[in-house]
Amino acid sequence: MDILINALEQMFTPATAAFAIAAIGLNFHFGLTGLLNMGQAGFMLLGMYGYAISIREGLPMWLALLVAMGAAILFGLLLGWPTLKLRGDYLAIVTIAASEIVRYVGRSNTLVDVTGGSLGIKGKDYKGPLEELSPFPDERLSVGPFTYHGSASDSWWLRVVAWSLVALLLLVFWRLSNSPWGRVLKGIREDEDAVRSLGKNVYWYKMQALIIGGVIGALGGVIWAHGSAVVADAMGRPTTFWVWTILLLGGAATVLGPVVGSVVFWAALSLVRAVAKEFIPESILPSTAIEPFGLMLVGIALILIVVFRPQGILGNKKELAFHA
Amino acid sequence: MFTRPDRRFYRAAALLLVAAAAFVIATLVIGGGPADAETVEPVAAGTSTATLVIQNVINGLAFGVLLALAAVGLSLIFGTTGLSNFAHGEQVTFGALLTFFLSTNEQVTIPLVPGSFTIGLPLWLAAIIAVIVSGGTGWLQDKLLWNPLRKRRVAVLQQMVVSIGLSLALLNMLQWWMGASRHRLTNASGGRITFGDFYIGTQTLMSVVIASIALLAVALFLLKTRLGRATRAISDNPALAAASGIRVDSIIRLVWVMSAALAGLGGILLALFDNGAGFDSGARILLLMFAAVTLGGLGQAFGALVGALVVGVVSEVSTVVIAPDMRYASALGILIIVLLVRPQGILGTKERVG
């Protein structure tokens, strides 16, 4: 029973929301436009740094959010400029390389005064402004089986903010993907040359998609930072791959896919860990092996989804986003 | 796409040498940055920047040759199948960890098998077995995964995401198997050979010699044997190759075996060079391998060598100016800059790539 409650809890954590947001961003890249952005973790990390450092230096929260989004816009411009004219896998390699550069630079000792090196930035340096806005009392509250603090860190307040943001971004995605603009992006995904022959500036449309998705990724990073802390190594390549698994699991190019994917992903991962811990004896699966064991299953799940159900849980087989 | 080294090759090589020289000179001029004191293997204190740069070039060339050996398989697979294989890093790790598993005197375990035991083979024998088993994993992978995917006509980008899933699964499997700590293949310190102000470790020198021989063998295979010619034909045009009677599937199977075995060997030699290997050492250099392959020109077998030498030298020499924990960032930065000015890579032919 505890296992089930725990899994239920995992469905609505701020981290689940943060990954859903990052996957919505990736849905603009991959689902709508067919861009292979393998550096979504880099966008998230830049958003986290932009936000946390601005607040630590005394800027107000709305300005810090603008800084986070601005960092993502610059990063998107920088990445898109050389690669959006090239074949798809070039973008994949460059985005993954660039997001690793962000991580290397962030964790480097050279910049320890700015980014906090590999230890990162502590929550108390940047969580204040959002927590002060909380209408909830400053104590632990229980609703049913769930108990969290009202407003500090991993709190009810953060859950409300995070999931409201998810709802808002879903609305944005739904409206944009059905707009004339979204239809051009889908056209680029299906047949770039056809869209180009209609006189559309394909390069610039791709750039817009890359930037919008990246900005949304940065917002996901800000939410994630509020739930835990700003640490460069938490945003390595595995994070990008999880976001991909979430998007493909839920269904690329669908509105609700990223959210369904994220909820199912984190609940399933929690279930697997708990069940493995409970029912497999220590001599066969030592407790240090449970984490890699769970993540190994994530990898296998990703392979199976892509091979057998590339449209994901919600997707439409006709609107497959994989085009070579 | 695999062409004989011709005029173009020499022109590109000359260009590269000039660029490398310019880079070294620029570093010498800017030189003497904050990182002097904490380079990975500091030369005796008080040495000039020039000595430091040249020592780093030597280290970088050694690292580049080993990286080339690990990366050549990535390039071969891309050339023949069009797949950017993200699971290649784990093949590199696997070679190193299997060698450790077979040769160490410590207790080792296998996941899901209770109890621990010692195998303790001599290092050379363990390495040979590890390379053969690595090749076997390549065979198995193509048999069970990639060949069926090609048969189902799964798009190349979809296969790429499959390889990402495979990489995630293998990485965690390796961590499960070997734990999170680093393992040393040998405890012998090896000593070093000095010439003038410079030195190279004996172990490193031996690794470089072995890697060079293996690279030469690959080059001879591609240029001189019928199978090698068939491989190049498939890279050029798979349909035409099939029509002229080449068994495309068996050649691709062979390429998988070769590239997995070469990656395994590269992993073992890199572990000797790097004083050990952990479950993520291949994953760490995966992007450097991609950088090498892309720099040289995607799918150009000899491009991987040229690209890897550039990546090796740039990442080591850059430690003169920037902090050593950012040296891989500089190599990846070079990748992005090269894609800006010459997207087909150093050796690639000028064709439309987008």
Side-chain angles (χ1 to χ4, degrees):
Chain A
M1 195 60 206
D2 278 354
I3 294 177
L4 286 181
I5 290 179
N6 210 331
L8 204 62
E9 215 173 355
Q10 283 296 324
M11 288 181 170
F12 303 105
T13 59
T16 306
F19 273 86
I21 292 170
I24 293 173
L26 191 63
N27 210 4
F28 272 99
H29 297 148
F30 179 69
L32 277 188
T33 326
L35 298 175
L36 288 168
N37 170 22
M38 287 290 159
Q40 190 69 337
F43 283 102
M44 294 170 79
L45 186 58
L46 271 178
M48 287 154 73
Y49 275 137
Y51 179 80
I53 292 172
S54 308
I55 289 189
R56 194 187 58 194
E57 301 305 325
L59 295 184
M61 199 175 91
W62 61 270
L63 207 56
L65 271 177
L66 282 186
V67 170
M69 291 160 82
I73 292 174
L74 277 181
F75 194 53
L77 281 172
L78 203 67
L79 291 183
W81 172 40
T83 50
L84 287 180
K85 283 185 181 150
L86 304 178
R87 216 169 41 205
D89 38 359
Y90 278 92
L91 180 70
I93 291 172
V94 167
T95 44
I96 198 170
S99 76
E100 287 289 277
I101 292 179
V102 173
R103 186 171 68 88
Y104 281 132
V105 172
R107 71 191 300 278
S108 166
N109 270 326
T110 331
L111 294 174
V112 75
D113 296 334
V114 186
T115 61
S118 55
L119 291 178
I121 303 172
K122 287 197 192 69
K124 65 173 168 48
D125 286 341
Y126 62 88
K127 286 183 186 173
L130 181 73
E131 286 168 10
E132 275 162 26
L133 293 178
S134 165
F136 296 104
D138 195 15
E139 59 189 26
R140 293 181 73 80
L141 299 174
S142 295
V143 176
F146 308 118
T147 306
Y148 309 108
H149 195 278
S151 41
S153 204
D154 182 21
S155 60
W156 286 109
W157 170 232
L158 183 57
R159 280 172 172 72
V160 170
V161 172
W163 288 102
S164 315
L165 186 60
V166 170
L168 178 72
L169 290 173
L170 285 181
L171 195 70
V172 169
F173 180 86
W174 176 60
R175 288 310 304 152
L176 281 181
S177 66
N178 287 319
S179 68
W181 181 80
R183 282 196 293 276
V184 173
L185 293 188
K186 286 180 189 167
I188 292 173
R189 183 188 72 200
E190 300 297 327
D191 190 342
E192 197 178 317
D193 292 330
V195 175
R196 195 176 283 124
S197 70
L198 290 174
K200 302 285 184 195
N201 187 345
V202 169
Y203 178 67
W204 183 232
Y205 272 99
K206 283 182 177 176
M207 185 71 97
Q208 290 165 351
L210 184 67
I211 289 173
I212 291 179
V215 166
I216 296 176
L219 292 178
V222 171
I223 295 291
W224 199 86
H226 265 290
S228 48
V230 179
V231 184
D233 285 339
M235 293 287 134
R237 265 177 295 160
T239 312
T240 300
F241 298 163
W242 296 349
V243 178
W244 270 88
T245 310
I246 284 168
L247 179 65
L248 294 175
L249 177 69
T254 62
V255 176
L256 289 174
V259 177
V260 172
S262 187
V263 167
V264 172
F265 178 88
W266 290 107
L269 196 58
S270 145
L271 268 182
V272 165
R273 280 178 189 149
V275 168
K277 203 169 186 165
E278 195 79 9
F279 298 108
I280 304 180
E282 174 85 14
S283 61
I284 294 178
L285 193 70
S287 54
T288 51
I290 286 177
E291 190 65 25
F293 176 73
L295 293 178
M296 184 184 83
L297 293 185
V298 172
I300 294 172
L302 180 57
I303 297 176
L304 295 179
I305 296 166
V306 175
V307 173
F308 294 109
R309 203 177 158 82
Q311 73 271 38
I313 297 174
L314 300 178
N316 172 0
K317 189 123 196 182
K318 273 190 208 140
E319 209 179 9
L320 262 188
F322 284 108
H323 292 279
Chain B
M1 273 195 276
F2 299 130
T3 39
R4 273 163 194 276
D6 55 1
R7 249 197 358 258
R8 212 158 42 76
F9 176 84
Y10 294 116
R11 207 185 306 147
L15 201 92
L16 187 75
L17 274 179
V18 173
F23 182 73
V24 169
I25 292 168
T27 324
L28 282 176
V29 174
I30 310 163
D36 269 23
E38 45 184 14
T39 25
V40 191
E41 285 189 24
V43 193
T47 45
S48 70
T49 314
T51 321
L52 197 64
V53 168
I54 294 171
Q55 181 61 52
N56 277 319
V57 170
I58 295 172
N59 294 349
L61 287 176
F63 179 54
V65 171
L66 301 180
L67 191 68
L69 182 61
V72 73
L74 199 62
S75 180
L76 284 173
I77 289 174
F78 184 87
T80 45
T81 66
L83 169 69
S84 306
N85 178 20
F86 277 74
H88 197 72
E90 277 63 43
Q91 290 290 343
V92 174
T93 320
F94 179 73
L97 287 186
L98 186 62
T99 308
F100 170 80
F101 178 78
L102 294 172
S103 67
T104 181
N105 291 320
E106 297 165 28
Q107 296 280 312
V108 287
T109 54
I110 299 177
L112 298 182
V113 179
S116 57
F117 46 90
T118 316
I119 301 175
L121 297 176
L123 185 61
W124 61 271
L125 185 59
I128 290 173
I129 296 177
V131 171
I132 293 170
V133 175
S134 290
T137 60
W139 188 87
L140 210 65
Q141 244 184 75
D142 188 53
K143 170 105 182 150
L144 296 181
L145 186 60
W146 303 112
N147 190 30
L149 288 186
R150 284 197 301 276
K151 285 258 154 63
R152 288 173 58 142
R153 296 183 182 281
V154 171
V156 178
L157 292 181
Q158 211 167 335
Q159 290 187 33
M160 186 181 97
V161 180
V162 170
S163 82
I164 288 174
L166 185 66
S167 144
L168 207 57
L170 290 178
L171 178 77
N172 286 290
M173 211 186 287
L174 288 167
Q175 187 184 356
W176 182 11
W177 181 32
M178 277 293 171
S181 55
R182 282 175 70 81
H183 304 286
R184 290 178 65 113
L185 295 190
T186 161
N187 288 320
S189 61
R192 52 176 61 167
I193 299 167
T194 34
F195 39 99
D197 287 340
F198 312 112
Y199 67 86
I200 184 166
T202 355
Q203 267 181 32
T204 305
L205 190 64
M206 271 170 63
S207 305
V208 169
V209 170
I210 295 173
S212 309
I213 293 171
L215 283 171
L216 203 66
V218 175
L220 286 179
F221 167 80
L222 285 176
L223 294 177
K224 298 286 179 196
T225 65
R226 286 179 64 87
L227 278 177
R229 268 197 291 273
T231 312
R232 278 155 51 209
I234 292 173
S235 302
D236 271 344
N237 188 335
L240 190 58
S244 45
I246 295 172
R247 285 194 300 175
V248 175
D249 273 334
S250 344
I251 299 283
I252 291 181
R253 181 73 47 89
L254 178 74
V255 166
W256 269 100
V257 172
M258 253 177 66
S259 60
L262 289 170
L265 179 61
I268 298 166
L269 298 178
L270 276 166
L272 289 174
F273 171 79
D274 219 17
N275 286 319
F279 73 98
D280 61 346
S281 36
R284 273 163 200 264
I285 61 161
L286 175 72
L287 286 179
L288 295 187
M289 293 194 280
F290 268 123
V293 169
T294 316
L295 275 180
L298 274 175
Q300 303 267 340
F302 302 104
L305 176 61
V306 178
L309 289 177
V310 175
V311 168
V313 171
V314 167
S315 59
E316 291 295 326
V317 173
S318 67
T319 58
V320 176
V321 195
I322 62 172
D325 54 1
M326 290 209 291
R327 63 187 157 146
Y328 288 171
S330 60
L332 298 179
I334 294 283
L335 165 68
I336 294 178
I337 292 168
V338 168
L339 284 182
L340 257 178
V341 288
R342 199 178 156 80
Q344 71 272 37
I346 295 167
L347 293 191
T349 35
K350 201 164 189 178
E351 60 175 329
R352 208 190 141 84
V353 283

